[in-house]
């Protein structure tokens, strides 16, 4: 909602025509917002998601998603969105198709390997800090 408010504030209008246009612009914006809320309500609890969300959750690019639905590998449907027709795809089918993709699998494996290496490095740092603290304790003169 904050984004809508900022975009509405950025519109510049001047004169009487601008005021009438601003009123119409507000109505258009409110209609768009209502459509967006309706779409969000319809999708809540549904497996059908926007291409943007499917890409974010599966790691597949939007171009790959387009290729997959155009070639019939995954179903899709168009719904009316706030800025015109919006393409939806079933998230579960996108996820299973993404898992079957060798490129996406390699990317995921690299990401997991990077995370594992990071954890190993964190563990080594923790061990070095403990050893350093023990050495500092030994070098301190006793009372």
């Amino acid at each position: 909602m904050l984004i809508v408010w900022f975009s509405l504030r950025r519109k510049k209008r001047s004169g009487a025509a601008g005021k009438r246009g601003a009123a119409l612009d507000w109505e258009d914006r409110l209609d768009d917002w209502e459509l967006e809320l309706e779409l969000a309500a319809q999708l809540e609890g549904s497996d059908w998601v926007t291409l943007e969300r499917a890409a974010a959750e599966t790691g597949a690019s939007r171009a790959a998603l387009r290729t997959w639905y155009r070639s019939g590998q995954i179903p899709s449907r168009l719904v009316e969105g706030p800025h015109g027709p919006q393409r939806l795809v079933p998230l579960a089918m996108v996820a299973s198709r993404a898992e079957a993709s060798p490129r996406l699998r390699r990317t995921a494996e690299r990401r997991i390997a990077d995370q594992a290496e990071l954890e190993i490095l964190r563990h080594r740092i923790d061990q070095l800090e403990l050893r350093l603290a023990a050495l500092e304790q030994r070098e301190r003169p006793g009372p």
Side-chain angles (χ1 to χ4, degrees):
M1 290 193 321
L2 190 58
I3 295 170
V4 172
W5 182 77
F6 278 122
S7 64
L8 290 174
R9 287 204 59 205
R10 292 177 66 197
K11 290 284 184 184
K12 293 182 181 178
R13 302 283 182 195
S14 62
K19 289 180 183 175
R20 273 183 275 136
L24 290 176
D25 189 49
W26 277 98
E27 291 298 321
D28 291 342
R29 297 281 183 163
L30 287 173
D31 290 343
D32 289 347
W33 188 52
E34 286 174 358
L35 276 173
E36 198 169 328
L37 288 174
E38 286 176 24
L39 179 60
Q42 289 172 1
L43 296 179
E44 193 172 322
S46 169
D47 188 41
W48 291 83
V49 296
T50 61
L51 292 181
E52 183 179 352
R53 181 168 167 213
E57 292 195 21
T58 64
S61 68
R62 292 170 89 176
L65 294 172
R66 285 187 199 98
T67 300
W68 294 347
Y69 71 72
R70 287 177 181 155
S71 65
Q73 296 177 41
I74 59 171
S76 73
R77 63 182 177 191
L78 282 174
V79 297
E80 193 59 39
H83 306 289
Q86 194 166 13
R87 178 83 50 186
L88 301 179
V89 292
L91 185 58
M93 292 186 82
V94 171
S96 65
R97 174 60 184 89
E99 288 174 10
S101 169
R103 177 184 289 163
L104 290 175
R105 190 176 319 117
R106 281 192 304 271
T107 302
E109 288 169 355
R110 264 187 260 123
R111 191 176 304 126
I112 290 170
D114 289 347
Q115 289 173 350
E117 188 173 349
L118 183 60
E119 285 303 313
I120 289 170
L121 291 173
R122 283 183 180 145
H123 179 71
R124 285 183 181 169
I125 289 170
D126 291 343
Q127 293 299 314
L128 288 171
E129 286 176 345
L130 290 173
R131 288 175 63 190
L132 180 61
L135 286 171
E136 288 174 346
Q137 279 288 43
R138 269 195 257 158
E139 291 181 4
R140 286 190 190 155

